[in-house]
Amino acid sequence: MGEPYSDISLLTIKNCTVGYSLKQNKNLEVLANLNLSVQPGELITFIGPNGCGKSTLIKSLVGLIPKLKGELYFKNENLELTSFSERAERIGVVLTEPVYERNMTVKELVSMGRYTHTNWLGSLSKLDRAIVDESITKVGLRVKINSRLAELSDGERQRAMIARVLSQDVDLIILDEPTAHLDLSNRMEVLLLLKSLAHEFGKGILLSTHELGLALQVSDRIWMVNNQQQVISDIPEELIRTGWLDRVFGNEKISFHPWSASFEVSSKTSIKAFVRGIGILQACVVRLLKRMGVKVIYESADQKITIDVYEQDQKIVVDNGSKKEIHTLHELQSYITKLLQEA
């Protein structure tokens, strides 16, 4: 489903099964029969419920744990025939818990990405130093180049880790939950940085994340682990249209709404409200009703409440058999609370 065909795939996963080898020649299969690819210039987010195997696949792709079956190719090269150092020359990796010395400077950290390209003494050439400086500039840390990692914010440290893999001069970058522990603005900033690296510099970028809402906004394609432990690959809009997001992540308490492309709390009552109007006030009325457990409908049917929203006059008229004019959202919340108690 949705997997593009290309002769120039950066990463090709053929009939792969990943998991763990147990005692007595037994295997614990986590994800099986995987056929996926990463193309140049695209950002792929990898999503799924907790414990579904995202990190297991990421670690298998970068060589930290062996796959159980199948083949992995970088371009047309079988990765199983490459050494760990050779794989580092092809694939850049940022793991969930990066290992670094907090007294190290940004420049020193990013310089580590060049070590696979240096001589046996590990000396940086003029070209190496230029690539390090360019990588730091690309992630917006030029003014922090001599700052120690301990002096940076969480978001700045994550950008420094991305600069390190950029300095490796690789075409493919794989990241395991790069937005973990970051606040909302830094999460979005990191994802937009990765998207620009894919689109402007032709990098193939694969990252696992729990940020479903942000993934839907920035991804060129999404890999999603479904309830059968299969990985579905498609563009965000197809996953919305086909209902996969609701089937995988929805339950009796929350459901995915394709119109808003977001999860919403399921209605707690049988009360329905038909809402008419446009504008910010109408959107806030709808949000308030849903938060309070009222089912909002957009076509007149068997609703108990009809609400007309007048944006220009900043008023709300609630009709539940008798009409009441309301002028603030606080007043609306109090009135709906009373109706729910009487229901």
Side-chain angles (χ1 to χ4, degrees), residues 106 133-145 156 159-160 163 166 189 193 197:
V106 170
D133 288 347
E134 181 184 11
S135 299
I136 293 171
T137 300
K138 282 180 179 177
V139 302
L141 287 180
R142 184 68 192 174
V143 297
K144 301 278 188 175
I145 190 169
E156 288 170 336
R159 281 190 279 154
L166 282 179
E189 187 175 299
L193 168 62
L197 294 176

Side-chain angles (χ1 to χ4, degrees), residues 45-48 54 175 177-179 191 207-212 215:
T45 52
F46 187 18
I47 63 174
K54 297 189 299 296
L175 309 96
E177 297 191 32
T179 58
L191 289 177
L207 65 100
S208 64
T209 183
H210 290 288
E211 303 295 335
L212 178 56

Side-chain angles (χ1 to χ4, degrees), residues 27-263:
N27 293 328
L28 173 62
E29 296 186 355
V30 178
L31 296 171
N33 303 316
L34 303 176
N35 289 281
L36 302 160
S37 68
V38 179
Q39 310 298 321
E42 73 171 350
L43 172 67
I44 298 176
T45 52
F46 187 18
I47 63 174
N50 285 336
C52 68
K54 297 189 299 296
S55 291
T56 302
L57 177 56
I58 293 291
K59 291 176 181 177
S60 297
L61 295 179
V62 303
L64 292 179
I65 59 175
K67 58 181 173 49
L68 300 180
K69 299 176 187 175
E71 298 172 310
L72 298 174
Y73 290 91
F74 175 78
K75 298 182 179 178
N76 292 318
E77 181 181 27
N78 191 330
L79 284 174
E80 197 163 7
L81 304 179
T82 63
S83 67
F84 194 81
S85 61
E86 288 173 332
R87 193 174 294 202
E89 295 176 0
R90 294 154 177 76
I91 303 173
V93 180
V94 178
L95 298 177
T96 307
E97 297 297 338
V99 178
Y100 51 73
E101 172 55 53
R102 291 178 65 84
N103 286 325
M104 183 183 293
T105 67
V106 170
K107 188 171 185 177
E108 289 169 342
L109 173 67
V110 178
S111 296
M112 292 175 63
R114 296 303 301 163
Y115 288 162
T116 57
H117 300 275
T118 59
N119 58 32
W120 65 277
L121 291 173
S123 301
L124 296 183
S125 67
K126 184 177 180 179
L127 175 61
D128 292 324
R129 289 192 291 271
I131 291 173
V132 168
D133 288 347
E134 181 184 11
S135 299
I136 293 171
T137 300
K138 282 180 179 177
V139 302
L141 287 180
R142 184 68 192 174
V143 297
K144 301 278 188 175
I145 190 169
N146 293 314
S147 298
R148 299 186 185 280
L149 298 181
E151 300 169 345
L152 304 182
S153 68
D154 290 340
E156 288 170 336
R157 274 195 295 271
Q158 192 62 283
R159 281 190 279 154
M161 294 300 297
I162 294 170
R164 180 185 61 79
V165 297
L166 282 179
S167 73
Q168 289 177 238
D169 196 24
V170 293
D171 294 324
L172 175 63
I173 300 174
I174 298 178
L175 309 96
D176 190 14
E177 297 191 32
T179 58
H181 315 305
L182 301 183
D183 60 28
L184 178 60
S185 62
N186 277 307
R187 292 199 298 269
M188 179 57 86
E189 187 175 299
V190 167
L191 289 177
L192 290 176
L193 168 62
L194 293 171
K195 185 173 184 176
S196 72
L197 294 176
H199 291 184
E200 295 177 27
F201 301 101
K203 306 292 185 184
I205 296 181
L206 168 66
L207 65 100
S208 64
T209 183
H210 290 288
E211 303 295 335
L212 178 56
L214 297 182
L216 290 172
Q217 294 182 60
V218 304
S219 305
D220 297 304
R221 204 147 42 89
I222 291 177
W223 293 358
M224 183 177 69
V225 182
N226 68 13
N227 298 323
Q228 289 74 46
Q229 295 301 102
Q230 301 167 325
V231 179
I232 299 167
S233 172
D234 220 324
I235 64 174
E237 292 74 22
E238 277 299 314
L239 294 178
I240 293 172
R241 184 188 67 83
T242 54
W244 269 114
L245 291 167
D246 190 49
R247 290 199 292 275
V248 171
F249 295 101
N251 54 43
E252 69 278 2
K253 295 181 179 179
I254 61 169
S255 58
F256 187 84
H257 286 248
W259 297 109
S260 62
S262 64
F263 282 92

Side-chain angles (χ1 to χ4, degrees), residues 272-276 296-308 319:
K272 298 177 183 179
F274 172 44
V275 180
R276 294 182 292 209
V296 176
I297 59 177
Y298 300 95
E299 293 182 359
S300 183
D302 56 345
Q303 73 272 11
K304 180 175 181 178
I305 305 170
T306 299
I307 300 178
D308 289 294
D319 183 354

Side-chain angles (χ1 to χ4, degrees), residues 260-287:
S260 62
S262 64
F263 282 92
E264 298 178 359
V265 177
S266 299
S267 299
K268 298 177 183 178
T269 73
S270 59
I271 295 179
K272 298 177 183 179
F274 172 44
V275 180
R276 294 182 292 209
I278 58 174
I280 295 175
L281 181 58
Q282 186 266 357
C284 290
V285 167
V286 168
R287 179 178 174 82

